[in-house]
Amino acid sequence: MKIKLFKRSHLVVFAILILVGLFITYKRNQPVKVQITHPVVQELNISLSSSGKLEAIDKTDLNFAMGGKISSVNVKEGDTIWKGQVLATLASPEPWENLKKAQLEKEKAIANLDGLKETYGDDIDSGAPFYLRRQAEKQIAETDAMINIATYLAGQQSLRSPINGTVIKVNIRPGEITSNNTAITVASLKNLYFELEVDEEDISKIKNNQEVSISLDAYKNESIKGKIFRLGNELVKDENGNNIIKVKVELTSEIQFEPIIGMTGNAEIIEERVGEVLTIPQESLHREGDAYFVYIVKNNKIYRKDVTKDKENEDIVEIKDGLSPEDVVISESKTPLKVGMAVSYD
């Protein structure tokens, strides 16, 4: 009985080993699934990537020049405004009262001078009348100075826009007391630029009038053209503590959507335009020592082909020799590739 059980168990193990071997053989003979591409003649640009945001050339943070209680706020965010428009006012009546008093004092001083002229006639230019005339004229000049000061202080009761543009931010409400913080921010959306943050190590790669291609996070399918018009003259720290410089990019193409100041995005600073060349994706290129090669497919089998590469960017690389547009190049595989391996692709 024990002998029969022993023989049966050995037969089961033997059968399992045969099945495993057949499965492995089957899998080895199955073609490996790969992604393929063809070398493409296209424009190759060598560029430097950087991030940034939209800013306005004409942008102003406004605040009241004097303290007080806010009486009215006449605008809201997004409103179109004109130069000189009153955006908000203070409630204090004192500056206006002082202005009226100064204007009344001037009227009295003028009336006094007119009375002296009528009283003394031609004698007003000599002796005691002359002295009285000079005192009256001095009083008029003093009231003029009082009016100028009172007019200025009264004017500070109103917060006016210095430009034609749009209200970007309103930080105040009626009834509040003024503070040192910005009350209202205004800007012209007609004069925008893109501000880049460029790493210190890349400063030597950029210069004025360099072409830039911008893609905003909110409109990734919309490309905006620009050119560098100002490089920062000091290093600053970014949020990660790295040394950077601020670089301003003029927008040279028309924006096809409603821009919002502060919109973030990425930019490609063009270092060199190589032109129309034969290219493959970076992931298709392999390296062995100083040699470069690709895996190509012929008759559903893998072959190695040595190539000569030249210029490249983050996405594509120029192939000077070794490939033609007709070649089928493997771009991606989840399985390690070997020459002679059977493959399949869509």
Side-chain angles (χ1 to χ4, degrees), residues 69-80:
K69 187 177 181 180
I70 297 170
S71 172
S72 66
V73 178
N74 306 324
V75 293
K76 63 182 182 299
E77 293 177 8
D79 281 356
T80 299

Side-chain angles (χ1 to χ4, degrees), residues 197-240:
E197 294 185 351
V198 177
D199 290 338
E200 180 181 10
E201 62 185 25
D202 294 323
I203 292 176
S204 62
K205 300 176 183 178
I206 59 175
K207 58 186 177 182
N208 281 330
N209 295 317
Q210 212 162 356
E211 293 180 64
V212 180
S213 178
I214 301 165
S215 174
L216 296 176
D217 295 334
Y219 297 93
K220 292 187 180 295
N221 294 327
E222 300 284 345
S223 179
I224 305 172
K225 294 181 180 179
K227 65 178 181 179
I228 294 174
F229 73 92
R230 185 176 301 166
L231 306 179
N233 53 15
E234 67 173 338
L235 289 173
V236 295
K237 298 285 186 181
D238 65 8
E239 59 184 12
N240 297 317

Side-chain angles (χ1 to χ4, degrees), residues 14 30 51 98 101 178 187 206 221 245 261 264 277 312 328 340:
F14 183 69
Q30 281 293 102
S51 60
N98 291 337
K101 288 178 181 179
T178 58
I206 59 175
N221 294 327
I245 64 166
I261 292 175
T264 58
V277 293
E312 61 187 311
V328 180

Side-chain angles (χ1 to χ4, degrees), residues 9 22 29 32 34 45 47 60 71 87 101 104 117 126 135 138 143 159 187 196-197 212 264 270 294 331:
S9 63
L22 289 172
N29 291 331
V32 173
V34 297
N45 296 324
S47 60
T60 306
S71 172
L87 309 179
K101 288 178 181 179
L104 287 174
K117 289 180 178 179
S126 62
Q135 288 297 106
K138 181 180 179 183
T143 58
L159 196 61
L196 299 174
E197 294 185 351
V212 180
T264 58
I270 308 300
V294 297
S331 59

Side-chain angles (χ1 to χ4, degrees), residues 143-299:
T143 58
D144 280 336
M146 291 171 58
I147 289 174
N148 289 337
I149 294 172
T151 300
Y152 171 78
L153 293 176
Q156 299 308 303
Q157 296 290 293
S158 299
L159 196 61
R160 297 177 181 271
S161 174
I163 61 171
N164 296 323
T166 302
V167 177
I168 303 302
K169 189 73 176 175
V170 177
N171 300 314
I172 56 174
R173 291 181 297 179
E176 293 180 340
I177 303 300
T178 58
S179 68
N180 293 327
N181 298 326
T182 298
I184 298 176
T185 300
V186 298
S188 171
L189 299 183
K190 293 182 179 180
N191 299 310
L192 300 179
Y193 67 93
F194 196 73
E195 185 174 66
L196 299 174
E197 294 185 351
V198 177
D199 290 338
E200 180 181 10
E201 62 185 25
D202 294 323
I203 292 176
S204 62
K205 300 176 183 178
I206 59 175
K207 58 186 177 182
N208 281 330
N209 295 317
Q210 212 162 356
E211 293 180 64
V212 180
S213 178
I214 301 165
S215 174
L216 296 176
D217 295 334
Y219 297 93
K220 292 187 180 295
N221 294 327
E222 300 284 345
S223 179
I224 305 172
K225 294 181 180 179
K227 65 178 181 179
I228 294 174
F229 73 92
R230 185 176 301 166
L231 306 179
N233 53 15
E234 67 173 338
L235 289 173
V236 295
K237 298 285 186 181
D238 65 8
E239 59 184 12
N240 297 317
N242 300 316
N243 286 334
I244 61 165
I245 64 166
K246 302 281 188 177
V247 176
K248 295 183 178 181
V249 178
E250 175 189 358
L251 307 184
T252 57
S253 63
E254 185 176 350
I255 299 178
Q256 301 299 324
F257 50 85
E258 189 69 27
I260 300 175
I261 292 175
M263 277 184 166
T264 58
N266 294 303
E268 297 293 324
I269 304 171
I270 308 300
E271 296 181 60
E272 179 185 357
R273 290 193 179 277
V274 179
E276 297 283 331
V277 293
L278 188 68
T279 66
I280 60 171
Q282 283 282 8
E283 56 266 26
S284 298
L285 187 66
H286 304 274
R287 182 174 181 175
E288 187 177 69
D290 294 330
Y292 292 91
F293 67 94
V294 297
Y295 288 114
I296 64 170
V297 179
K298 285 184 179 180
N299 300 320

